[in-house]
Amino acid sequence: MHSETCLPRLERPEAGCDASSGYFNAAPTRVFPSLDHLRRAMTWANASGGLFLDYLLEGNYFAGKATWVNPSAPVRQAYEAMVAANPFLISESPYQPAFARKDVRVRGQNKVFVARLDTACEEVRLVAGEHRKAREAGICRPRAIFAGGPAAKIGALLSGLQTNPADASDVVFVLDGAEQSNESGSASYEHVNHANALNAELDNTGLGILGTALRRAIFGEADASVALGVDYRKVDLWPRGVRLRDLPVYLHNEWHGLAQRVRKLLGWPTDHLKSRLASKVSTQILAEIERQMEIRLRLDQESPRAVFLYLSRRNHEASLVDNRELAEDVGLAIQKLDAASLEAFYGPAILDRVVSGDLFLDNGCIRHGFDRLCMDAMERNGIECRHRQRLSRVYFEEDGHGKARAAAVTVEDMNTGMLSHLALDHLCLSLGPTATFHYEPTGHMLPALSDRLGLDLPVPHQTIATGLSAQLLFRIIDPDKVRNLPFTGMKQTHFVEIGRTSSHLVMKLTCGGVIGLPVYSRSYAINALASILAILTPECGLAFEDVICAWPCTRGINGPNNGQIVRLGDNAVARFGEGGTGMSKMGSNAQTMLDLAGMKWPVSPELRLDPSLYQHTVIDRRKPVARRLGLR
């Protein structure tokens, strides 16, 4: 699909970051001082190119926005031609009925109930009993069920690599596909360099976010042009989304951030550093899966892929500190881009519009259609895939040693509403931020009150943070200039090419994370549009034509915001609260899930994740779950 740009000066150096070299512009031009300037850029090649901007400006700051699909016939025709040239895009087509749903699942709506097996209906008990007898007789293999996002997908693939008959399981993968971000990945790249906990940047602490939100609500968000500022912060809190139950999340984040600063002063490894090291292991695990299964989960690794651009001096200066830590602590190879390299990627106009740019040579960008790629690989390896099915119940029983173990699940078909039941031996869940775990209703007063208040539930409380994902259509006006477009990141905004024909290309744009809002903020969308249109101009051979679609991509936020995993039983685990870094750690997250669920899986010894890199993320709730269910 791409022809590669030949940049001989970008030879791979040793890990490090030389901040003294490279292009630097102390005073970049502000491209869009007003919304009128942004509209002119959106309508330069297409008089109807401002439809999405009109949609964003409908309503006030508190309106929020949900799934939007362009109604224009020419846009749909261009996309259908794009799918014909890039068939993998069909899995992300906004013109599928499942994608174009107008409703948005909110926190708590996706309920997963935990119950005793002996309280289940006769059909569930029968399925579990027959499986248990078959296992005891040795006439069937163990069954492992994976459900949800990137960690569950990679966990299922790793399980499928097992060739030792004594350790192999029958694997089932379940994906509900109800949230567009679960269907295609909100970021769709493996952002090793960007795997930051919420408190990694001082302006992103819990109280810092609260202060930013209040200032915006009081002093200026009514004027949408505030989003055009180059230092606009895209980690925020939605004022009317503040809930009393969320306050411990923010307070925990403050405490956790302080603890990490103390650890750093003492020379101890911080959770932030552990997260980045786990991300690096994740990259190696994905490479191992690609080698053993002969598939490509990532873009071609032989050419430069990941560029970060800085639109303001403040972001540039912060990057110098961040990049030095990445080079010293994680060993990532980072190179400052010079003027000629920037021009080769983005055209001459880029030099007037950015402060500087970095090239991350180690970054492995995930191919698009990632879900479909994973499920195709699973099916080729004998893994059963259940698409558009939602896990709704998990049943536990005593394992004979006074411990609780998962024995069966109930899944619901999202299209028909029909229920089916599966017995199991291992369970690994990664269900995203809208899933909440509950106990089956009880008639006892104290447990019922505890459930109503949300106390001591199987998986701790998390809030949600919703960003924007969108597909943008660009017309190719000079094919000789449009050669290789790398993944491009700016502060909390990213875009990457996902499809191309002879006349057009499609970019995927993602940004932000506004806490407490199930849909995305109009301000985030405006800022993201301004960022990408400041970089991709007619001088690099492209003209913006239209926004194809936009949708909210939700993330889970907990106190440390570093991803945590709960042991529900000796054979059952659930991940939650990744906060937007799940794509970067899906390999290491999968390894952790498999280990804690008691599964054996084949991988080179050097790829084993050191326990010190994940033990701080493990919450062991086996005893409380067993006690609450009356199994001990």
Side-chain angles (χ1 to χ4, degrees), residues 267-566:
W268 300 344
T270 65
D271 289 356
H272 184 202
L273 172 59
K274 293 175 183 178
S275 174
R276 284 174 157 171
L277 290 171
S279 295
K280 193 165 186 178
V281 174
S282 180
T283 301
Q284 296 167 339
I285 291 173
L286 259 64
E288 182 78 357
I289 291 174
E290 290 175 324
R291 183 186 67 80
Q292 292 200 38
M293 289 192 164
E294 297 182 343
I295 59 175
R296 286 180 56 204
L297 299 175
R298 301 171 298 164
L299 296 180
D300 177 19
Q301 302 299 298
E302 298 304 317
S303 58
R305 283 297 180 190
V307 171
F308 266 68
L309 300 175
Y310 306 102
L311 305 183
S312 74
R313 288 195 65 173
R314 190 170 94 176
N315 290 340
H316 163 80
E317 290 163 2
S319 76
L320 299 180
V321 177
D322 204 39
N323 291 353
R324 184 174 64 251
E325 292 180 354
L326 283 165
E328 294 173 354
D329 298 337
V330 188
L332 288 186
I334 308 168
Q335 183 172 328
K336 302 300 291 186
L337 289 171
D338 60 18
S341 301
L342 284 167
E343 282 194 44
F345 282 132
Y346 305 104
I350 190 70
L351 300 181
D352 190 44
R353 299 183 175 203
V354 300
V355 176
S356 66
D358 293 329
L359 177 71
F360 286 78
L361 287 95
D362 288 305
N363 223 25
C365 299
I366 297 300
R367 288 181 64 192
H368 278 74
F370 180 73
D371 280 7
R372 190 67 260 167
L373 288 167
C374 288
M375 285 189 281
D376 286 346
M378 290 180 205
E379 290 169 350
R380 287 195 300 271
N381 283 269
I383 295 174
E384 178 185 352
C385 292
R386 293 183 167 224
H387 200 197
R388 306 280 177 215
Q389 296 195 19
R390 184 185 78 86
L391 187 141
S392 61
R393 276 172 170 75
V394 182
Y395 301 97
F396 284 82
E397 64 180 356
E398 190 175 327
D399 67 353
H401 302 285
K403 298 179 180 179
R405 63 179 298 277
V409 295
T410 295
V411 295
E412 174 190 358
D413 188 293
M414 300 290 288
N415 296 320
T416 66
M418 292 184 62
L419 302 179
S420 58
H421 314 290
L422 295 170
L424 60 91
D425 298 277
H426 307 282
L427 180 65
C428 297
L429 306 178
S430 178
L431 300 182
T434 62
T436 54
F437 293 76
H438 305 266
Y439 293 104
E440 278 283 332
T442 176
H444 300 288
M445 183 177 68
L446 288 180
L449 179 61
S450 176
D451 292 350
R452 184 169 183 81
L453 296 176
L455 301 176
D456 202 28
L457 292 178
V459 173
H461 173 74
Q462 64 174 328
T463 186
I464 61 174
T466 303
L468 164 82
S469 280
Q471 293 184 12
L472 275 61
L473 183 69
F474 284 83
R475 186 185 305 170
I476 298 174
I477 57 177
D478 190 337
D480 292 333
K481 293 181 179 178
V482 186
R483 288 168 291 180
N484 176 47
L485 288 173
F487 157 79
T488 302
M490 292 159 282
K491 186 175 175 63
Q492 297 155 353
T493 298
H494 320 91
F495 61 86
V496 63
E497 179 182 342
I498 63 175
R500 184 184 293 197
T501 64
S502 60
S503 59
H504 290 84
L505 61 81
V506 172
M507 306 296 297
K508 188 167 185 180
L509 173 70
T510 187
C511 81
V514 59
I515 298 174
L517 183 67
V519 293
Y520 60 85
S521 158
R522 74 168 189 183
S523 297
Y524 285 19
I526 290 172
N527 184 270
L529 282 172
S531 296
I532 189 173
L533 294 182
I535 304 304
L536 301 183
T537 69
E539 290 196 25
C540 67
L542 295 173
F544 171 78
E545 190 149 318
D546 224 326
V547 175
I548 300 167
C549 58
W551 66 95
C553 54
T554 52
R555 297 147 171 138
I557 298 293
N558 58 15
N561 195 39
N562 197 25
Q564 292 182 303
I565 185 168
V566 172

Side-chain angles (χ1 to χ4, degrees), residues 83-313:
V83 170
N86 308 269
F88 63 87
L89 284 178
I90 189 63
S91 65
E92 301 183 9
S93 171
Y95 300 105
Q96 295 185 99
F99 185 101
R101 294 178 4 154
K102 296 300 181 184
D103 56 320
V104 175
R105 181 188 283 169
V106 299
R107 177 177 54 189
Q109 187 177 355
N110 182 19
K111 292 185 177 181
V112 180
F113 288 99
V114 172
R116 289 173 57 114
L117 179 63
D118 57 13
T119 65
C121 68
E122 182 179 358
E123 185 179 357
V124 176
R125 298 198 306 272
L126 183 62
V127 166
E130 289 178 345
H131 179 75
R132 188 188 309 111
K133 291 177 182 178
R135 289 281 297 119
E136 291 171 353
I139 59 176
C140 77
R141 299 196 302 182
R143 177 181 289 143
I145 296 180
F146 296 82
K153 296 181 184 70
I154 300 302
L157 287 172
L158 285 173
S159 300
L161 294 176
Q162 183 61 262
T163 56
N164 184 351
D167 297 327
S169 299
D170 291 328
V171 180
V172 179
F173 175 71
V174 179
L175 177 69
D176 68 8
E179 291 290 315
Q180 287 85 0
S181 59
N182 283 343
E183 189 66 14
S184 61
S186 60
S188 292
Y189 67 96
E190 189 183 353
H191 47 340
V192 172
N193 58 296
H194 217 239
N196 293 339
L198 184 64
N199 48 50
E201 299 175 65
L202 296 182
D203 60 351
N204 287 350
T205 65
L207 294 181
I209 288 170
L210 181 60
T212 298
L214 292 176
R215 285 195 299 274
R216 286 182 179 175
I218 295 171
F219 295 115
E221 280 286 358
D223 177 9
S225 64
V226 69
L228 296 174
V230 291
D231 281 318
Y232 186 86
R233 294 181 184 176
K234 302 184 191 69
V235 174
D236 194 2
L237 178 145
W238 193 249
R240 69 175 182 180
V242 179
R243 297 290 184 270
L244 185 62
R245 286 201 62 206
D246 293 338
L247 293 181
V249 172
Y250 307 124
L251 296 176
H252 184 189
N253 185 255
E254 291 295 324
W255 173 86
H256 184 265
L258 177 61
Q260 302 316 302
R261 293 188 189 96
V262 172
R263 291 184 67 88
K264 189 169 185 178
L265 287 173
L266 295 175
W268 300 344
T270 65
D271 289 356
H272 184 202
L273 172 59
K274 293 175 183 178
S275 174
R276 284 174 157 171
L277 290 171
S279 295
K280 193 165 186 178
V281 174
S282 180
T283 301
Q284 296 167 339
I285 291 173
L286 259 64
E288 182 78 357
I289 291 174
E290 290 175 324
R291 183 186 67 80
Q292 292 200 38
M293 289 192 164
E294 297 182 343
I295 59 175
R296 286 180 56 204
L297 299 175
R298 301 171 298 164
L299 296 180
D300 177 19
Q301 302 299 298
E302 298 304 317
S303 58
R305 283 297 180 190
V307 171
F308 266 68
L309 300 175
Y310 306 102
L311 305 183
S312 74
R313 288 195 65 173

